[in-house]
Amino acid sequence: MSDLDGDFGDPGRFKDSGGPGALGDPHGLERALRAAVRGAVDLSVTARALHTMDASNYRRVPAAVVAPRDADDVRAALEVCRERAVPVVARGAGTSIAGQATGTGVVLDFTRHMNGLLSLDPEARTAVVQPGLVLDDLRSAAAPHGLTFGPDPSTHSRCTLGGMIGNNSCGAHSVAWGTTADNIRQLSVLTSPGDTLRLAQGWDSAPDGLRTLVEGDLALLRTGFPDLPRRISGYALDALLPERGADLARAFCGSEGTLGIVTEAVVRLVEAPRARALAVLGYADENAAAEAAAGLLPHGPLTVEGMAADLVRGTSQENALPRGGAWLFVETGGASAAEARARAETIVRAADVLDAVVVDDPARQRALWRVREDASGTATRMPDGSEAWPGWEDCAVPPARLGAYLRDFRALLAAHGLRGTPYGHFGDGCIHVRIDFDLLSTEGVARFRRFSEELADVVVAHGGSLSGEHGDGQARAELLPKMYGPDLVALFARVKDVWDPAGLLNPGMLVRPAPLDAGLRFAPLPREPVDVAFGYPHDGGDFSAAVRRCVGVARCRTATASSPTGVMCPSFRVTGEEEHSTRGRARLLHEMLAGEVVTDGWRSTEVRDALDLCLSCKGCRSDCPVGVDMATYKAEFLHHHYEGRRRPAAHYAMGWLPRWLRAMALTRTAPVVNALARIGPLAALGKRLGGIAPERSIPAVAPRTLRQWWRGRPKRQGARRVVLWPDTFTDHLSPAVGRAAVRVFEAAGLTVELPPKGVCCGLTYVSTGQLDRARAVLRATLDRVAPLLAAGTPVVVLEPSCAAALKTDLVELVGDDPRAHRLAASVRTFAQALEELAPDWRPPHIGRPVAGQTHCHQHAVLGDTAERRLRTKAGLAGELSGGCCGLAGNFGFERGHYAVSAACAEEQLLPSVRRAPAETVVLADGYSCRTQLGQLAGVRGRHLAEVLAEALETV
């Protein structure tokens, strides 16, 4: 996506930035790097803030970020850093959970340029990859050949092969296909002295002195390592034993960037089953599930994953699971669906379970697996909403001892007054867990250390590994002597010195580690709540806690929507830039609160610029596993950033849109305004003054509003009442949608009413951060609708963004008023109202396919289950696309946003409409979506109410 850089608004925002002013550049680092490296070199506040953290508890501020173009760039950067004794950290997607993707020196970002699949040989079942290649991209390329890369962490949609090699990642299918180390054939590695090594079996490419060290301690290497499938901790020096072929590539895996920098890898591919089935086995509790897991391995499953009820409670899949308090997800494969299902049913018969279900529908399997994959995020919140953190995320024991280990683990949690919900790779004895450590107070951090030390003893007593997947990093490296003893740990240090004599590569990890309780990410954050406008009810009113929701798992960095109907994160998918991901923006807000890198608080231009391309689509509110709501955070920031200052013209032109449109309606000047907008020079002048993108056509204002039409028509009485909310867009810009809804409601036997004039959801004020004005508008609205609220009448809002504003922004801005909660609870979508108030009504049968897009705010806040059911009843077949149309309220109309807006539309919406048959009904319930379709594709999108009303006329 980097080829698009510079096409979106201000080109300079996507090019190298920074300068000596950020650090004073005491060693001439920036000048030297720019002279030596052809790739991007960035010392800016933004770049450094974005890379302070990974997905761990730790934080380090880098000096610079370098995106090398090739191995020569890596070598040049290493030389510059060696001359200046500057540490170097290799980084992929930054999803490491032990802290090994953070550093104080130069961070090498391989995701921008060194992200290619260089070749794929289906006959040899190998592929040659660069370190920044995303795992799913490799799997997609291998799939047409019936092949896949076996290791598949839950972050497969964004993790990179380089990061997987560094951590020796595993994933759910390791019971069948092993760890990353089991699937590496050869590695091309650069050492800190500048040597290029090609690591495979044999000593030919070993650094000088390594063989001597190994052969001098053969007895220690033969006896010092526990025998279990998920032993990831420490250096895998036992792979260098002569009886194991001195496998240098295997020994290098899991070294966390402390020995050398991978520039290329030859990986092994495995045959993917043609069909899969998923047996979900229900047990009374997690102990029963853990005890049963090892007994299923002789049946040859592809996975044996475990999770407890706390991880699925409240999810859409909760009711899809069999009875039980914990479950094993056991996947089987076969040459056909019948064969895969038969294997799954054999496992069900062999298992002693409370209940079980076998799922062979791929869509249902994906939905269930997403619950498991999102656990790394969802587990960060306890059932009561309190925070939980990694630190003991993935220790592993022999599978047969898992049940006993979990009992001891639970007892230790209770002894320290801590809580956590274990889940993970039960078939491999590897447990993931987030624990409600208090990492904000001195006492809480001390408890974190005590617990860590005692749990390490428990893991070792069960013959386990401190790390079973994510590496030791800083979180566990200090405790390695408990597992390996002082002699083997001392050997690790000597091996490190052979590879990296200057100690430049990822210092503080694995060898001579930093303390496990040093450099915690929370240390610089303010301890008192920040004064904010929104209520943040899910975070105790604390903006810092809201920002802390982002733990770095980076689902927002997925190059395509997280699911066929997903939305997050459209701007990242267009630009590919970390600062335009939800995680990147959360990082900048974190650093703004910390005040060390971003030093000017709410006035920060770096945070403003990163938030500028946030579409406020709210996709992250639903698609992010931890419910980050960047649209709200953006509105909060803009509120403070422009407080007492002049705002951009677009904030007045489009933020005050309800005011301007009401004035036109009162003065009956819509026809005049429309005529002037069609005169090229006048339209261009108006757009320039209003901060509107010159590429845009100004939408026509309806000469007769919905309210004006309503006043002149006879009212019809029905069995039940419904209030039709005349939102700004429906009332003034697309009243035909409102008229259609009235026609349908009355056909369904409902009495339609409109609320008093002057009501408004405040959406445009919220989206531009004019929160004082939004709050005033909302309070006035509550005053006007008080009688309706007292009567409990459902309120139908046809525009999804306005409905979402009344559902969420209303209660978060004026939550102190009980009427706000009553109004929010009264809001219904068009389809929800029909389903609730006229359940026996049958819509006309249309019998045509549909295309279009579910509105992003509907997806994120309102849900579209009722809409799907209504479409089915009306014979409207097919699925709507996910993603975001790219207009997203005023975003696509703001100057400098047009290219991003159009690219978002091209991501899913426009292709789905172009490939639709001629008879297809194009549905778009949102005014923005309809406008985008019209302006970019010349296609008329219609609200579902319009389609049904038109069909009623022909009945």
Side-chain angles (χ1 to χ4, degrees):
M1 292 186 181
S2 58
D3 291 339
L4 296 174
D5 293 357
D7 289 342
F8 308 113
D10 177 11
R13 293 176 50 226
F14 297 90
K15 298 185 182 294
D16 297 347
S17 57
L23 291 172
D25 200 20
H27 305 295
L29 178 63
E30 179 182 25
R31 185 170 59 254
L33 285 171
R34 290 190 183 279
V37 174
R38 292 178 296 110
V41 174
D42 201 339
L43 281 75
S44 68
V45 167
T46 297
R48 294 167 59 230
L50 289 172
H51 293 85
T52 55
M53 293 176 280
D54 49 16
S56 72
N57 294 330
Y58 302 100
R59 173 182 175 272
R60 293 177 182 81
V61 180
V65 179
V66 173
R69 288 194 173 273
D70 51 28
D72 289 339
D73 262 4
V74 177
R75 181 182 291 103
L78 285 172
E79 182 177 354
V80 169
C81 292
R82 185 171 63 250
E83 291 172 352
R84 289 162 176 77
V86 174
V88 177
V89 176
R91 181 177 169 112
T95 56
S96 296
I97 294 181
Q100 60 267 58
T102 65
T104 58
V106 169
V107 172
L108 296 178
D109 175 8
F110 288 101
T111 62
R112 184 178 298 188
H113 301 303
M114 294 182 68
N115 56 12
L117 171 59
L118 302 182
S119 65
L120 193 153
D121 186 340
E123 297 300 321
R125 294 186 178 179
T126 59
V128 181
V129 304
Q130 291 182 309
L133 178 68
V134 172
L135 172 58
D136 270 2
D137 292 341
L138 171 61
R139 299 203 303 177
S140 296
H145 306 286
L147 302 173
T148 191
F149 188 68
D152 60 338
S154 60
T155 54
H156 54 83
S157 62
R158 59 270 192 201
C159 71
T160 65
L161 271 295
M164 293 179 69
I165 292 166
N167 292 347
N168 193 12
S169 300
C170 309
H173 289 86
S174 59
V175 295
W177 296 318
T179 70
T180 297
D182 296 316
N183 293 275
I184 296 295
R185 290 288 175 260
Q186 181 178 297
L187 296 174
S188 296
V189 171
L190 276 167
T191 65
S192 63
D195 298 323
T196 299
L197 306 179
R198 299 202 181 278
L199 308 180
Q201 284 202 332
W203 292 105
D204 293 345
S205 264
D208 293 340
L210 181 61
R211 183 171 186 174
T212 301
L213 274 180
V214 168
E215 292 181 346
D217 267 310
L218 292 178
L220 182 60
L221 295 183
R222 288 186 173 118
T223 60
F225 293 89
D227 182 20
L228 69 162
R230 286 296 193 94
R231 189 254 300 161
I232 305 298
S233 283
Y235 292 139
L237 300 184
D238 54 331
L240 300 177
L241 287 166
E243 59 266 31
R244 299 187 180 179
D247 193 338
L248 284 164
R250 188 182 188 91
F252 187 90
C253 289
S255 59
E256 303 181 15
T258 62
L259 302 182
I261 307 294
V262 175
T263 59
E264 195 174 289
V266 180
V267 301
R268 176 177 77 106
L269 302 174
V270 298
E271 184 176 357
R274 293 185 179 180
R276 303 184 192 220
L278 180 63
V280 184
L281 312 179
Y283 295 88
D285 53 38
E286 68 191 14
N287 283 331
E291 296 281 5
L296 303 178
L297 298 179
H299 295 280
L302 299 177
T303 62
V304 182
E305 297 288 291
M307 70 177 71
D310 283 350
L311 286 178
V312 300
R313 194 165 289 126
T315 71
S316 60
Q317 298 304 316
E318 183 176 6
N319 295 329
L321 295 169
R323 289 181 298 113
W327 299 272
L328 291 180
F329 281 30
V330 185
E331 188 179 71
T332 58
S336 66
E339 182 181 344
R341 184 177 184 91
R343 290 178 176 171
E345 289 172 342
T346 297
I347 288 174
V348 171
R349 287 192 295 270
D352 182 14
V353 295
L354 288 177
D355 194 8
V357 63
V358 174
V359 179
D360 49 16
D361 174 61
R364 285 186 63 200
Q365 288 184 45
R366 284 193 299 270
L368 287 166
W369 276 123
R370 181 172 177 183
V371 176
R372 164 63 185 85
E373 291 174 358
D374 283 354
S376 60
T378 55
T380 63
R381 295 282 162 164
M382 304 303 295
D384 63 2
S386 57
E387 297 168 293
W389 302 104
W392 283 93
E393 175 70 13
D394 66 321
C395 48
V397 299
R401 296 192 60 86
L402 183 59
Y405 165 73
L406 275 176
R407 285 191 289 274
D408 289 347
F409 172 76
R410 283 290 192 187
L412 188 63
L413 280 176
H416 284 270
L418 297 170
R419 297 174 297 163
T421 302
Y423 65 97
H425 314 293
F426 281 25
D428 272 335
C430 180
I431 292 299
H432 296 316
V433 65
R434 300 293 176 105
I435 300 172
D436 64 338
F437 297 119
D438 168 17
L439 299 178
L440 295 171
S441 71
T442 302
E443 179 183 348
V445 172
R447 179 185 297 180
F448 168 61
R449 166 170 281 281
R450 291 193 303 270
F451 176 85
S452 299
E453 291 171 342
E454 292 177 28
L455 183 56
D457 291 330
V458 172
V459 173
V460 171
H462 284 277
S465 174
L466 302 185
S467 173
E469 180 163 27
H470 295 140
D472 300 308
Q474 182 179 346
R476 289 174 289 272
E478 183 188 354
L479 303 172
L480 285 178
K482 291 177 177 286
M483 176 179 172
Y484 286 120
D487 293 341
L488 194 49
V489 169
L491 181 59
F492 290 165
R494 295 199 299 275
V495 167
K496 159 78 169 173
D497 292 341
V498 166
W499 285 85
D500 179 27
L504 295 182
L505 300 180
N506 218 359
M509 304 297 146
L510 274 177
V511 170
R512 305 179 189 97
L516 62 87
D517 54 353
L520 295 173
R521 67 157 74 183
F522 320 97
L525 291 178
R527 291 298 183 263
E528 296 299 323
V530 178
D531 184 24
V532 287
F534 283 101
Y536 303 100
H538 303 297
D539 297 290
D542 186 351
F543 183 69
S544 294
V547 171
R548 289 199 302 269
R549 278 184 174 271
C550 179
V551 293
V553 296
R555 178 173 281 277
C556 51
R557 276 186 58 96
T558 304
T560 56
S562 56
S563 72
T565 59
V567 174
M568 182 183 70
C569 178
S571 52
F572 172 79
R573 294 202 302 275
V574 168
T575 71
E577 298 284 346
E578 173 76 8
E579 69 180 284
H580 302 132
S581 69
T582 304
R583 181 180 72 171
R585 293 170 179 131
R587 290 288 176 268
L588 284 162
L589 288 167
H590 185 285
E591 294 304 321
M592 179 193 80
L593 293 172
E596 179 183 346
V597 182
V598 178
T599 57
D600 44 0
W602 295 112
R603 299 298 198 200
S604 168
T605 56
E606 293 85 8
V607 178
R608 180 200 65 199
D609 291 347
L611 289 170
D612 182 52
L613 290 190
C614 171
L615 284 81
S616 297
C617 67
K618 285 190 177 288
C620 48
R621 185 182 177 106
S622 60
D623 294 355
C624 171
V626 291
V628 168
D629 186 357
M630 193 53 61
T632 296
Y633 306 169
K634 176 182 179 179
E636 184 76 63
F637 175 83
L638 293 176
H639 168 70
H640 295 279
H641 185 77
Y642 289 109
E643 190 172 14
R645 298 199 293 177
R646 183 178 178 181
R647 289 174 166 270
H651 287 199
Y652 301 108
M654 288 176 279
W656 293 6
L657 187 65
R659 176 181 294 184
W660 307 135
L661 291 175
R662 280 199 300 271
M664 276 187 263
L666 287 172
T667 57
R668 308 272 182 173
T669 54
V672 176
V673 173
N674 291 339
L676 294 175
R678 291 192 292 269
I679 301 173
L682 290 178
L685 176 62
K687 286 185 279 190
R688 185 163 64 251
L689 293 175
I692 298 171
E695 301 90 341
R696 289 290 179 185
S697 299
I698 298 176
V701 180
R704 189 183 188 199
T705 68
L706 176 65
R707 279 191 180 279
Q708 289 167 347
W709 169 82
W710 176 258
R711 287 196 295 268
R713 73 180 298 273
K715 309 303 183 289
R716 301 180 184 178
Q717 295 298 315
R720 302 184 69 178
R721 298 168 58 226
V722 64
V723 172
L724 182 64
W725 188 272
D727 64 84
T728 295
F729 303 98
T730 302
D731 193 17
H732 298 277
L733 299 172
S734 55
V737 172
R739 296 194 297 268
V742 171
R743 172 75 177 89
V744 174
F745 284 145
E746 291 182 342
L750 303 179
T751 298
V752 181
E753 300 178 9
L754 264 62
K757 63 181 180 180
V759 298
C760 180
C761 70
L763 171 69
T764 58
Y765 301 106
V766 171
S767 64
T768 52
Q770 301 180 74
L771 300 185
D772 290 336
R773 177 62 184 166
R775 189 181 288 109
V777 166
L778 290 170
R779 290 198 186 280
T781 293
L782 291 174
D783 291 339
R784 292 183 174 97
V785 301
L788 296 174
L789 297 177
T793 310
V795 176
V796 176
V797 187
L798 298 172
E799 174 59 41
S801 56
C802 294
L806 290 173
K807 277 285 191 185
T808 59
D809 298 327
L810 170 65
V811 296
E812 294 192 13
L813 279 172
V814 291
D816 57 333
D817 189 331
R819 299 175 302 175
H821 297 272
R822 288 199 293 272
L823 177 54
S826 300
V827 170
R828 304 289 188 274
T829 68
F830 171 73
Q832 287 169 350
L834 284 172
E835 192 168 79
E836 177 182 331
L837 301 177
D840 297 327
W841 180 72
R842 301 295 300 181
H845 185 79
I846 299 170
R848 293 170 63 185
V850 296
Q853 190 169 58
T854 300
H855 193 284
C856 51
H857 287 188
Q858 176 132 20
H859 166 83
V861 176
L862 308 166
D864 66 342
T865 304
E867 278 70 20
R868 289 170 177 269
R869 286 194 286 260
L870 181 56
R871 294 200 303 266
T872 299
K873 288 181 180 179
L876 294 169
E879 291 292 327
L880 304 186
S881 75
C884 176
C885 75
L887 201 55
N890 63 302
F891 174 87
F893 270 89
E894 287 190 22
R895 185 165 48 237
H897 289 176
Y898 179 81
V900 170
S901 174
C904 288
E906 290 288 355
E907 204 260 326
Q908 290 195 65
L909 174 60
L910 297 188
S912 73
V913 170
R914 291 191 190 107
R915 62 175 174 259
E919 70 274 14
T920 300
V921 176
V922 178
L923 288 176
D925 281 1
Y927 176 78
S928 293
C929 304
R930 297 194 296 273
T931 302
Q932 190 80 313
L933 282 166
Q935 295 202 357
L936 297 186
V939 172
R940 183 190 172 208
R942 292 186 290 170
H943 195 287
L944 181 56
E946 292 181 285
V947 176
L948 295 181
E950 181 181 297
L952 285 171
E953 298 298 333
T954 62
V955 172

